[in-house]
Amino acid sequence: MKTLDARIRFTGERRQVTALFYDIVGSTELLLRSEPEKFFRSVSALHQSAETVIRKHGGFLHQRLGDGGCCFFGYPEQSEDAAESAVRASLELLRVAAGAETTTQAKAKARRPFRLRIGVATGLVVFSTQGDEIVGTAPVLAARLQAEADPNSVLVADSTVQLTRQKFDYSLLREARLKGFEHPIALWRPQERDRSTAEPSPSQGYDRPIRGREKELAALASAWNSAVGGKGSLIAVVGEPGIGKSRLVGEFAEGLRQSAHETVVFQCGRRLESQPLHPFVSFLERLVAEPSVLKDGDNDAFMRALQASGRQLDASAADTILAFTADRSPATSRNIRVSDLSGRAFRRKVIEAAADILTCKAAGLPTLLIFEDVHWADDMTLELIDRLGSLAARLPILVIQTSRIRRSLAVASEIDLPGLTAAAVRDLVASIWRERPPPGLSDFILDQCDGMPLYAEELASFFRGRQPLGKSLSEWKGLLREGGVTSLNDLLSARLAATGSARQAAQFASVIGREFSISLLTYLLEGVSRRSVDVDIEQLLSQGIIERSTTSHGSYQFRHVLAQEAAYSSLLKSDRRRIHRRIARLLVGEEKPSLPAAIAAWQCAEAGLHDAAARFALAAAEASVLRSAMREANVSLELCAEAVGSLSRRHPDRTELALSLFELQGIVASALEGEGSESARRVYARAMQLLRKQPSAVRVKHFPVYWGWWFTAPNILTQQSRARILVADMQAVEDRETRLQSYHCGWATSFHAGEHGFCLDCVAKGLALYDPESAVRNRAFFGGHDAKVCGLGESALSYLLLDESEASELAIGQCLEWASATDHAGSMVHALYYAMVLARCQGRYDEVHALGEQMLSLAERHGLAASQARANMYCGWAELMTSSAAGGEERFAGGLALQQQLGTDDNFSMHSDMHAQVLRHRGRSAEALTTVQNAINVGRSSGQSFWLAELYRLSAQLKHDLNEPPSSIRRDLTRAIQIADGQKAAWLAERAKQSLDGLPRP
């Protein structure tokens, strides 16, 4: 066993102790009448006798004060009967001092009896581990009482009397105003009582029936009866902490035990808001028994576990769940682009599959699903609850959620838990008292607790433990004042203190969290045997402080989160940090941390290990991003930002952690607020300021920052400028894939900027670096498509505008062929879009329509909403341009509306051209001209100039339709030719020249 010094030692602690002060009466007169040596021997003998008596009763002689002493009970070792021991020691000490009893040691040395004054008081104190500093009212009050006592007597404070009424008889001498105390203090004198008459402590009765909730229980029963009949519902039980939400639901669930049904409880947890679907995943872990089944994606074992539980699930739904739970490489998360919304589609499929798992048994077995503490639920869990609520109406399931806050749910009924009525409080107090309580006490408790059941129970138990109890309001208030009780937390702390040595186990457990395992608790309580820990656990269970976990086999949890908070707050901050640090170091040393990454991050942050906290928070955020849980990821990123901000600027890992943080923040901000959002741009701008100062190897490692900085540029002009910087900065790097992706940025922007020469140069240099194997890994990261497909498609368009039709046709053919070979949805849709745009430019309407239908089919199958919008726009446009039917216009309008809703139009110029053509075809040329002129203005200001020549040409056509002056028409066509010539876009220039030549000469 390790020594005490090798174990965690508290620097201090808040603890309830009993202080005992004794003093020799008339010591100065005795000294003057005696020889100094003889007096010294007598006093020393008394101190030795006193120390023996104090130690015999479990106390500790803290200081000898010349002619007196200061003692503590419940320190350094905790004791649940400290107050009783102190009073017994004080009475025995009087007898020893008077000579009625002597110890063996003292017989030879004691020469004369002494008269003592003794004071005893109980209260919360803060003391250092070394015991040299003790702060609290108990020792001060004990010293004041000792000074007020008559010779050969003991005075006991109210706080001690209330803890020992069942053990001693007390007489109230008087009330006195003592120095330093605002209110008069009652002076009690104790007397031994025949122990055979002592009243046994009352049963705690933590499982007593619920009181005052008949109406709410009836509402739940009615909802259950409807569910059994096939018409289920979602019910939200809402109320403040301690109001009895879980107690109500637990009582209801217990009442169903005899009926055939299934109950599943999901526990949401504080600091787990960043773990997507954590309650559901915990349920799956219990279902499969072996967590590796979920982490490794073992489909066969998963299906067997589902079938063993009576669940028959579609194989595709099981695949979706395993795709969600399986471990993935964290390196991928920082490169994800979310614009095609496939992540959202995946998220939706996961929610639907999870709901299927929870409802597939309901047809044959009514199901009760309980979600506890939903105010701490992650976003995906909230979506799952909403999904279950929407399904419940046609299934035999009842979904109940408990929460401190209201949520706006159209499909949910709400039970708002108020405080208990006066009658219910009286009933509750009577059930705890087991006999008629003192008149008026129930109303006093009601006034104190304001109808909160947990508070009422604790108050009733507090007073019940202090029998015989006074009968006046002032006495009850005095008991609370002397006990230091001003809140529910004080009552819970007092009950915790009464558990003796088990209190320390509860304190350590509270640092782990509301739920804890015995193995981790034993690890923290280093030097304490497992047997001792088990004894402490049994004590905490019997006192109703903890209970066995309902969601994790072999674990325990605090019965109420308020009990955990009481245990946690009883620790000094310095000692909390020591325990957090021990947990944190264990987690850091584990190959696979035994606690969720989000909890590990919090533990490390509280321990002051900010670098480890940042790493765990990044791991939690990466896992969430990979599961398309961006809001959950954001929670972890906020903690990570705090941890990185707390690191010294000289910390060797600070730059690396900051860059990793920026990468994920950029992805999350783009997903939550849009790729063009100010927050996303701000993140990438800060990241680039830091990254461009780093050596080449670091820039390569964090290339996604470059990509995000380029992609989130506010317009094409800025994006093109950044693309050139990006290409230049990556020229010298050795990694071929990084250089390829820099060219990828270059060609994508250059085409839109009308810089076709630079675009084709980037394609040629980039595709020379292309590696098919690397492409498989990276196509999901950069743009969501294969780089070769993109380069060939972009070059096909550039070649067309440069009037190199053969090269254009060759490139688009290769593009479609390679996309098909990849068998990658994003790449195939991307290739079809290029082919469709190319056919649209050339006016091949039937080809546009055919390609659009192919694209739409793929997009719908893979949940690519932006691609669905584009496909419908182009198909609608082609239909309208070849027919006078209104169906094409409606289809185009639907696609356009979806695209505007999604905010994913990166080809605004061409799409505005198409919109104007639709309007023109329907005889609305004036609206069409306004649309074109707006597109021209946007194109000129943003830098998207590749299609400006065509927009001016269409403007001229519309002005001709509207009989505008020929000079205005001619100016537009002349401007179109100038723009096309500037871009060397001979194909566009020729179209504009033909239109100009067709005008009547002035």
Side-chain angles (χ1 to χ4, degrees):
M1 181 183 295
K2 294 187 179 181
T3 65
L4 181 63
D5 290 337
R7 291 152 45 192
I8 291 180
R9 299 187 63 184
F10 290 162
T11 57
E13 185 178 356
R14 292 177 71 236
R15 190 191 297 178
Q16 180 169 285
V17 301
T18 299
L20 182 156
F21 272 65
Y22 68 87
D23 184 68
I24 300 173
V25 178
S27 58
T28 303
E29 292 81 355
L30 289 173
L31 174 60
L32 292 175
R33 294 200 304 268
S34 305
E35 295 179 6
E37 292 183 10
K38 185 176 180 180
F39 178 81
F40 175 76
R41 286 196 300 272
S42 297
V43 171
S44 295
L46 174 67
H47 281 310
Q48 289 180 32
S49 298
E51 184 170 7
T52 300
V53 171
I54 297 301
R55 190 166 55 244
K56 169 186 171 183
H57 289 279
F60 168 66
L61 179 59
H62 177 60
Q63 285 180 312
R64 294 183 180 185
L65 305 172
D67 54 358
C70 166
C71 312
F72 289 101
F73 293 78
Y75 168 80
E77 296 299 326
Q78 291 183 328
S79 172
E80 59 182 334
D81 56 357
E84 177 188 347
S85 299
V87 177
R88 291 201 187 284
S90 68
L91 294 173
E92 183 175 340
L93 191 54
L94 285 181
R95 295 191 294 271
V96 169
E101 297 178 10
T102 59
T103 65
T104 304
Q105 279 185 313
K107 284 183 179 179
K109 297 181 180 179
R111 294 290 182 266
R112 66 173 71 245
F114 287 107
R115 295 186 301 166
L116 298 182
R117 294 188 181 96
I118 302 177
V120 180
T122 302
L124 288 173
V125 299
V126 173
F127 54 83
S128 67
T129 300
Q130 292 73 24
D132 52 358
E133 294 183 55
I134 298 179
V135 179
T137 59
V140 176
L141 180 56
R144 298 281 190 270
L145 291 172
Q146 170 265 124
E148 290 288 324
D150 293 331
N152 280 343
S153 72
V154 180
L155 288 182
V156 179
D158 258 345
S159 54
T160 308
V161 170
Q162 306 314 322
L163 292 171
T164 58
R165 278 186 180 275
Q166 298 176 37
K167 306 296 181 181
F168 303 94
D169 291 325
Y170 286 97
S171 56
L172 178 62
L173 300 185
R174 66 185 188 278
E175 288 190 342
R177 290 194 172 274
L178 304 183
K179 182 180 178 181
F181 291 86
E182 180 180 355
H183 301 286
I185 301 298
L187 307 182
W188 296 89
R189 179 172 290 170
Q191 183 178 340
E192 289 279 10
R193 177 192 293 178
D194 183 353
R195 296 190 184 186
S196 64
T197 65
E199 182 180 340
S201 59
S203 169
Q204 296 292 344
Y206 295 110
D207 296 322
R208 66 179 64 88
I210 196 169
R211 284 338 194 253
R213 298 301 189 200
E214 293 77 14
K215 178 182 176 182
E216 290 82 0
L217 285 170
L220 292 175
S222 175
W224 177 249
N225 290 334
S226 295
V228 171
K231 189 175 182 181
S233 60
L234 167 61
I235 294 181
V237 180
V238 182
E240 61 183 310
I243 204 67
K245 302 181 293 296
S246 297
R247 186 73 179 276
L248 171 71
V249 176
E251 182 90 356
F252 166 69
E254 182 67 21
L256 301 180
R257 177 167 290 190
Q258 302 304 318
S259 64
H261 75 289
E262 180 178 52
T263 296
V264 185
V265 179
F266 304 89
Q267 180 65 59
C268 304
R270 182 185 294 179
R271 303 184 186 92
L272 287 169
E273 302 95 323
S274 62
Q275 302 284 120
L277 280 183
H278 172 76
F280 175 72
V281 173
S282 295
F283 158 73
L284 291 182
E285 289 174 346
R286 298 194 300 274
L287 196 70
V288 301
E290 179 51 58
S292 63
V293 171
L294 301 175
K295 293 180 179 179
D296 297 341
D298 188 338
N299 188 283
D300 291 340
F302 185 48
M303 291 297 288
R304 285 196 300 271
L306 289 173
Q307 290 167 4
S309 70
R311 291 172 168 82
Q312 298 296 327
L313 192 69
D314 182 80
S316 63
D319 289 341
T320 298
I321 292 297
L322 291 178
F324 179 81
T325 61
D327 282 341
R328 307 183 190 185
S329 169
T332 62
S333 63
R334 303 174 191 184
N335 301 307
I336 290 175
R337 178 185 167 194
V338 294
S339 60
D340 66 359
L341 304 185
S342 58
R344 297 186 194 180
F346 172 69
R347 180 186 178 108
R348 185 172 61 251
K349 286 176 65 178
V350 170
I351 297 298
E352 291 173 352
D356 287 347
I357 288 177
L358 296 179
T359 59
C360 63
K361 283 180 69 174
L365 192 65
T367 302
L368 175 63
L369 303 175
I370 301 172
F371 290 83
E372 291 274 24
D373 296 327
V374 170
H375 45 274
W376 287 322
D378 61 275
D379 266 29
M380 288 191 76
T381 295
L382 295 178
E383 288 183 35
L384 174 58
I385 294 172
D386 294 348
R387 173 65 177 166
L388 291 168
S390 66
L391 295 173
R394 56 182 184 273
L395 290 172
I397 65 171
L398 177 60
V399 185
I400 302 177
Q401 60 169 339
T402 67
S403 179
R404 297 178 184 178
I405 59 176
R406 288 178 172 81
R407 293 179 58 224
S408 178
L409 292 174
V411 297
S413 301
E414 186 175 287
I415 294 178
D416 189 359
L417 282 190
L420 294 180
T421 63
V425 171
R426 293 190 190 99
D427 189 22
L428 177 61
V429 173
S431 72
I432 293 172
W433 219 264
R434 296 190 307 167
E435 58 190 45
R436 182 172 296 177
L441 180 63
S442 296
D443 290 333
F444 174 72
I445 291 175
L446 174 63
D447 184 60
Q448 295 294 313
C449 73
D450 196 28
M452 183 182 291
L454 182 60
Y455 201 174
E457 284 185 11
E458 293 297 329
L459 278 170
S461 298
F462 175 84
F463 287 125
R464 172 67 175 161
R466 283 149 180 79
Q467 287 272 30
L469 190 68
K471 297 182 179 180
S472 70
L473 182 66
S474 61
E475 288 179 278
W476 299 333
K477 287 183 176 179
L479 288 177
L480 295 179
R481 185 171 61 249
E482 290 298 325
V485 175
T486 60
S487 66
L488 175 57
N489 185 75
D490 294 331
L491 284 168
L492 294 171
S493 297
R495 178 143 65 88
L496 189 64
T499 62
S501 62
R503 179 173 187 256
Q504 187 179 58
Q507 289 173 314
F508 274 75
S510 73
V511 180
I512 299 173
R514 183 178 180 186
E515 185 174 297
F516 59 92
S517 67
I518 294 295
S519 59
L520 181 53
L521 179 60
T522 304
Y523 168 80
L524 294 180
L525 292 167
E526 188 178 16
V528 179
S529 70
R530 173 61 186 264
R531 179 178 176 80
S532 296
V533 174
D534 289 341
V535 170
D536 289 341
I537 289 296
E538 288 302 319
Q539 172 74 349
L540 296 172
L541 285 168
S542 68
Q543 292 294 312
I545 292 170
I546 66 171
E547 61 188 1
R548 288 176 173 80
S549 172
T550 57
T551 58
S552 299
H553 179 70
S555 293
Y556 295 83
Q557 64 184 27
F558 284 87
R559 191 176 183 91
H560 199 286
V561 70
L562 297 178
Q564 181 209 350
E565 291 171 355
Y568 190 76
S569 64
S570 69
L571 292 165
L572 297 183
K573 289 183 178 179
S574 56
D575 293 325
R576 290 179 204 161
R577 174 161 288 196
R578 286 169 181 258
I579 303 172
H580 280 300
R581 182 161 292 191
R582 184 153 174 75
I583 297 172
R585 284 177 173 161
L586 171 67
L587 295 169
V588 169
E590 292 176 332
E591 184 177 349
K592 288 189 176 182
S594 51
L595 293 178
I599 298 295
W602 173 74
Q603 289 284 356
C604 292
E606 293 298 309
L609 303 179
H610 301 297
D611 52 349
R615 290 188 183 91
F616 278 121
L618 282 172
E622 287 169 341
S624 294
V625 166
L626 286 168
R627 289 161 175 79
S628 303
M630 299 303 179
R631 294 192 187 279
E632 291 86 345
N634 208 36
V635 175
S636 294
L637 292 177
E638 289 175 358
L639 192 155
C640 182
E642 291 180 11
V644 171
S646 298
L647 289 174
S648 165
R649 292 192 175 276
R650 297 181 180 179
H651 192 286
D653 297 331
R654 191 177 193 276
T655 297
E656 173 62 28
L657 290 170
L659 287 170
S660 298
L661 170 64
F662 285 140
E663 287 178 0
L664 288 176
Q665 282 181 324
I667 293 295
V668 171
S670 297
L672 295 180
E673 302 180 43
E675 292 168 331
S677 66
E678 185 59 35
S679 60
R681 291 171 183 162
R682 189 165 52 245
V683 168
Y684 283 118
R686 291 178 61 197
M688 281 298 293
Q689 287 178 352
L690 180 60
L691 184 56
R692 295 199 73 195
K693 299 175 185 177
Q694 307 308 314
S696 175
V698 176
R699 294 203 303 271
V700 170
K701 181 178 181 181
H702 293 283
F703 179 74
V705 169
Y706 272 94
W707 177 280
W709 177 65
W710 162 79
F711 192 79
T712 57
N715 53 55
I716 297 296
L717 289 172
T718 306
Q719 196 173 57
Q720 175 66 352
S721 172
R722 292 180 179 181
R724 289 185 177 275
I725 292 172
L726 197 157
V727 169
D729 279 7
M730 295 298 131
Q731 282 291 316
V733 305
E734 295 182 5
D735 185 72
R736 292 169 60 89
E737 185 67 24
T738 299
R739 285 160 55 202
L740 165 60
Q741 296 303 336
S742 72
Y743 287 122
H744 189 168
C745 297
W747 75 58
T749 305
S750 299
F751 171 78
H752 284 276
E755 297 185 18
H756 301 295
F758 186 66
C759 171
L760 293 171
D761 185 56
C762 286
V763 170
K765 292 178 178 177
L767 295 191
L769 300 167
Y770 180 82
D771 174 55
E773 291 185 6
S774 297
V776 171
R777 184 176 67 253
N778 288 292
R779 64 193 179 202
F781 307 159
F782 301 107
H785 54 252
D786 185 270
K788 184 174 180 179
V789 168
C790 184
L792 289 170
E794 213 76 68
S795 62
L797 294 177
S798 280
Y799 280 130
L800 172 68
L801 301 188
L802 293 174
D803 204 19
E804 298 181 29
S805 57
E806 289 186 11
S808 176
E809 290 301 321
L810 177 63
I812 199 63
Q814 292 174 337
C815 173
L816 289 167
E817 182 180 356
W818 186 251
S820 179
T822 66
D823 195 29
H824 178 246
S827 301
M828 290 189 286
V829 164
H830 204 55
L832 288 169
Y833 181 58
Y834 280 122
M836 192 166 60
V837 170
L838 193 68
R840 175 257 175 274
C841 292
Q842 297 169 319
R844 303 200 299 259
Y845 304 121
D846 291 341
E847 190 175 335
V848 169
H849 193 275
L851 290 165
E853 292 291 4
Q854 281 184 256
M855 182 175 172
L856 181 61
S857 176
L858 261 176
E860 288 178 341
R861 200 156 61 243
H862 294 278
L864 307 178
S867 295
Q868 291 178 48
R870 288 172 176 167
N872 278 315
M873 285 174 61
Y874 279 78
C875 284
W877 174 81
E879 289 171 10
L880 188 64
M881 298 303 289
T882 57
S883 167
S884 58
E889 182 182 8
E890 292 176 2
R891 189 171 183 183
F892 177 87
L896 179 63
L898 177 58
Q899 188 174 72
Q900 291 171 343
Q901 176 189 340
L902 299 173
T904 55
D905 190 358
D906 57 359
N907 197 355
F908 181 78
S909 296
M910 183 169 289
H911 296 161
S912 295
D913 180 320
M914 293 166 63
H915 189 196
Q917 289 191 45
V918 169
L919 293 170
R920 184 189 187 195
H921 196 79
R922 302 302 294 174
R924 296 152 63 184
S925 295
E927 291 180 54
L929 180 59
T930 300
T931 299
V932 169
Q933 289 176 337
N934 176 64
I936 289 172
N937 292 332
V938 170
R940 290 174 64 89
S941 62
S942 69
Q944 190 178 70
S945 58
F946 80 98
W947 203 243
L948 268 179
E950 275 295 290
L951 289 172
Y952 273 108
R953 193 175 76 87
L954 180 56
S955 173
Q957 292 174 344
L958 291 167
K959 287 179 178 179
H960 181 270
D961 293 345
L962 296 169
N963 295 316
E964 291 202 11
S967 58
S968 177
I969 298 171
R970 190 174 295 276
R971 278 197 303 271
D972 280 351
L973 292 172
T974 301
R975 184 64 179 135
I977 294 168
Q978 290 172 343
I979 292 171
D981 286 343
Q983 297 173 2
K984 298 181 180 179
W987 188 78
L988 294 176
E990 181 60 28
R991 286 165 65 86
K993 287 175 182 176
Q994 289 178 3
S995 295
L996 182 61
D997 291 343
L999 290 177
R1001 294 190 179 275

